[in-house]
């Protein structure tokens, strides 16, 4: 299946981490990784779609994990009393679990971005691509390069 010509590469900003990344699509900053769904959908690659579905699943799990302490303490009986150790165990455990699932989710979206960009770089069969570049040298002259590729499968 050919890659649509209007799709642009997705760039990950410098300083992005496993806890969250900033992405650029066509030199436009995206508000969240969920904004990547449109170019991923247009590419229609099963592997990219699977990574993005995994990202959404892990993000949802992370949000639900962050709610665990609230649910736990709202549902426990008032007569049980308050125990500091119990509170910090539930709270700390949910924070650690939420961070872990966020890291897994962001790893999945980064894999989807990598596969997406790889698919964009592939040259379809029977298409001739020609390019030219010029670069100034330290001596003040220009060097010109011309190249082309034709993939026959």
């Amino acid at each position: 299946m050919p890659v649509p010509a209007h799709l642009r590469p997705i760039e990950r900003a410098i300083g992005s981490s496993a806890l969250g990344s900033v992405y650029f699509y066509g030199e436009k900053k995206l508000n969240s990784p969920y904004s990547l769904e449109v170019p991923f959908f247009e590419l229609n690659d099963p592997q990219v779609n699977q990574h993005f579905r995994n990202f959404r699943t892990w993000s949802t799990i992370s949000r639900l994990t962050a709610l665990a302490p609230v649910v736990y303490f709202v549902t426990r009986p008032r007569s049980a009393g308050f125990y500091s150790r119990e509170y910090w165990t539930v709270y700390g455990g949910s924070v650690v679990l939420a961070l872990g699932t966020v890291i897994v989710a962001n790893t999945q979206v980064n894999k989807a971005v990598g596969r997406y960009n790889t698919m964009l770089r592939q040259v379809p069969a029977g298409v001739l691509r020609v390019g030219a570049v010029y670069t100034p040298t330290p001596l003040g002259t220009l060097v010109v390069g011309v190249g082309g590729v034709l993939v026959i499968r």
Side-chain angles (χ1 to χ4, degrees), residues 6-64:
H6 68 279
L7 292 178
R8 300 286 171 247
I10 298 169
E11 296 178 40
R12 190 171 171 218
I14 296 172
S16 295
S17 71
L19 295 176
S21 297
V22 176
Y23 297 100
F24 290 87
Y25 179 77
E27 299 174 11
K28 186 175 184 180
K29 183 179 176 182
L30 301 178
N31 294 331
S32 78
Y34 290 98
S35 302
L36 298 171
E37 187 170 16
V38 173
F40 288 166
F41 178 75
E42 289 185 31
L43 180 63
N44 197 25
D45 179 64
Q47 196 172 350
V48 170
N49 292 339
Q50 181 61 44
H51 286 305
F52 193 73
R53 276 193 305 273
N54 290 345
F55 159 74
R56 285 193 314 217
T57 301
W58 282 105
S59 294
T60 302
I61 291 170
S62 177
R63 287 189 196 108
L64 293 175

Side-chain angles (χ1 to χ4, degrees), residues 73-87:
F73 289 110
V74 167
T75 59
R76 69 190 287 272
R78 300 270 184 236
S79 61
F82 177 78
Y83 299 103
S84 179
R85 175 179 280 168
E86 180 181 281
Y87 171 80

Side-chain angles (χ1 to χ4, degrees), residues 88-125:
W88 288 111
T89 301
V90 171
Y91 182 76
S94 70
V95 167
V96 169
L97 194 56
L99 285 174
T101 54
V102 163
I103 290 170
V104 172
N106 285 323
T107 300
Q108 289 297 311
V109 79
N110 287 337
K111 286 180 182 179
V113 168
R115 171 72 178 174
Y116 171 90
N117 287 334
T118 299
M119 294 299 293
L120 288 187
R121 286 191 296 268
Q122 290 183 354
V123 178

